[in-house]
Amino acid sequence: MRVLKQMFPAIKRGIRGVRKSDGCQAEVFSQEKEIVIALGSNVGDRMHNFTEALKLLKKSGVRITRHGSLYETEPAYVTEQPLFLNSAIRGTTKLDPHDLLKALKQIEKHLGRTDGIRYGPRPIDLDILFYGKFEVDSEVLTIPHERIWERPFVVAPLIDLLGSSLDNDTVASWHSFSRKSGGLFEVWEKLGGESLIGKEGLRRVLPVGNQLWDWSRKTHVMGIVNLTPNSFSDGGKFQSVDAAVAQVRLLIVEGADIIDIGAQSTQPSATRISPEEELNRLMPILEAVLQMPEISGKFISVDTFYSVVASEAVRRGAHIVNDVSGGQLDPNMHKVVAELGVPYIIMHMRGDPQTMQNSSNTLYEDVCKEVSSELYARVRDAELSGIPVWSIILDPGIGFSKNAVHNLELLMGLPRLRREIASKSYAASRAPILIGPSRKRFLGEICDRLNPVERDPATVAAVSAGILGGANLIRVHNVRDNLDAAKVCDALLAQKKGSSMVR
């Protein structure tokens, strides 16, 4: 905030006199301009409306570069109507402001919007919040949008599109339009800031299956089912359909929210199998699991770095793609996941399982800073391929291309990981974080436990540290004990939050 206050006087001097009306000349807008468009929907399949709107925006000449988080919100002004979904996108276009407005109106009409009550129900609502460094004031269009500053459901996703470090002069001008010394950040704080999330009808959610998942209400537990003969912990135990189904049933009884099924070993030096072999291992068991009555209300994640495996698994009914490579081992993965429209877990790893523990891949000067930078680079690649950040889950990759010290630094450094990512993107920094230290070798080294199964108490300690540092999901073999740990950590965090509110 202090830096912004120092910068804004100079910024404002630099943009004086650029206010334009609809009489402005077309050549002013002949180059691509950076824009922000708000999205809202509360009629029909709201998530489908968003997805179709994004596709039509791209066809209309908008290149989408960033997505805000996804919010479910109480209606404003006209309150007797269904809950809204709200977000915003940042992009570039060569359309001039009024042609862009026409394109948005056409998209709204195509998706079924008709004239009705102002602020009333609508399948889709698209508003231009910012257009380059320009202010527009005409009979049909006002930019910046005139009611930005009073609407938390608009400002929240708008802030998501920014980073704590200013990107460029255009972003600086957006801040200056607020007429606040602290820019848009000051607007957000005065509305209530992060304290509004989860209150005042403003929930940050992730679409999965046919649900909107509020991952912040508790720590969610992902139970591991390895279908490989050579997994470090339980290799060969669950290769048959009956054994795998029995294990899934146990994990559900113990309280798992998500079942993560993997048919490719990713332990250090593991030999890679083909997509065909992975599918042969996975599909019979996935189909059997999906038919289990107990699976109702649970999510199924497929642990794979092959796009063809991800595609087939989702087609059969899996809900989430968990990719240890973050798209680095299959150039088609991001495109395929974007088309599938499912949540995508992006994990940090250097190299592949055969090379990840070599000396070059485990060399860090500052592990938290470098992991956050490399993880964000994968998020950017995914986002530019069409995967909205509201569908991304982050995994720092405990045990993957890290030594014991690195793993400990990451477990204790999750708040810093978020801060580092927030310097580039608040939306990415607010994504759920998953950690997977379960029974890993570094725990055995610390506790002198050669047998991975004997590392469950150490796993409880590791996941507890991660949860207290901000992890939202834990991936574990032993669901029962780690769920108890998660419940205690959630209670501690609730107590801390309650105490700070009392003060």
Side-chain angles (χ1 to χ4, degrees), residues 222 224 226 231-232 260 262 264-270 303-305 322-326 329 345-364 367 370-372 374-375 378 395-408 410-411 434-443 475 477:
M222 174 185 280
I224 301 169
N226 287 314
S231 172
F232 79 96
D260 189 50
Q264 172 103 234
S265 178
T266 54
Q267 69 171 324
S269 302
D303 182 359
T304 184
F305 49 71
N322 181 9
D323 180 1
V324 297
S325 80
L329 298 181
I345 301 173
I346 297 179
M347 196 192 80
H348 176 270
M349 176 178 66
R350 291 174 172 176
D352 60 27
Q354 287 191 302
T355 64
M356 66 183 182
Q357 294 303 119
N358 66 29
S359 57
S360 61
N361 284 330
T362 55
L363 180 63
Y364 299 90
V367 67
E370 290 169 66
V371 166
S372 65
E374 293 167 23
L375 196 55
R378 288 158 178 65
D395 181 347
I398 302 296
F400 288 79
S401 56
K402 287 101 181 167
N403 62 30
V405 172
H406 299 146
N407 293 325
L408 295 173
L410 284 169
L411 281 172
L434 179 150
I435 56 169
S438 186
R439 299 180 179 175
K440 292 284 174 70
R441 180 182 299 175
F442 79 101
L443 298 177
R475 182 179 181 272
H477 299 84

Side-chain angles (χ1 to χ4, degrees), residues 157-222:
L158 172 57
I159 294 294
D160 292 337
L161 301 175
L162 310 174
S164 58
S165 299
L166 294 179
D167 296 31
N168 53 44
D169 288 345
T170 298
V171 174
S173 73
W174 297 346
H175 281 288
S176 72
F177 290 150
S178 71
R179 311 297 188 245
K180 304 290 185 184
S181 61
L184 296 170
F185 301 139
E186 184 176 338
V187 172
W188 177 228
E189 289 303 316
K190 287 190 174 181
L191 287 172
E194 280 297 297
S195 68
L196 294 178
I197 306 302
K199 303 175 185 177
E200 307 297 329
L202 193 65
R203 296 191 308 135
R204 199 174 278 138
V205 294
L206 185 148
V208 53
N210 58 0
Q211 300 181 39
L212 292 173
W213 179 31
D214 183 351
W215 70 89
S216 68
R217 293 186 179 277
K218 68 167 190 171
T219 300
H220 291 76
V221 181
M222 174 185 280

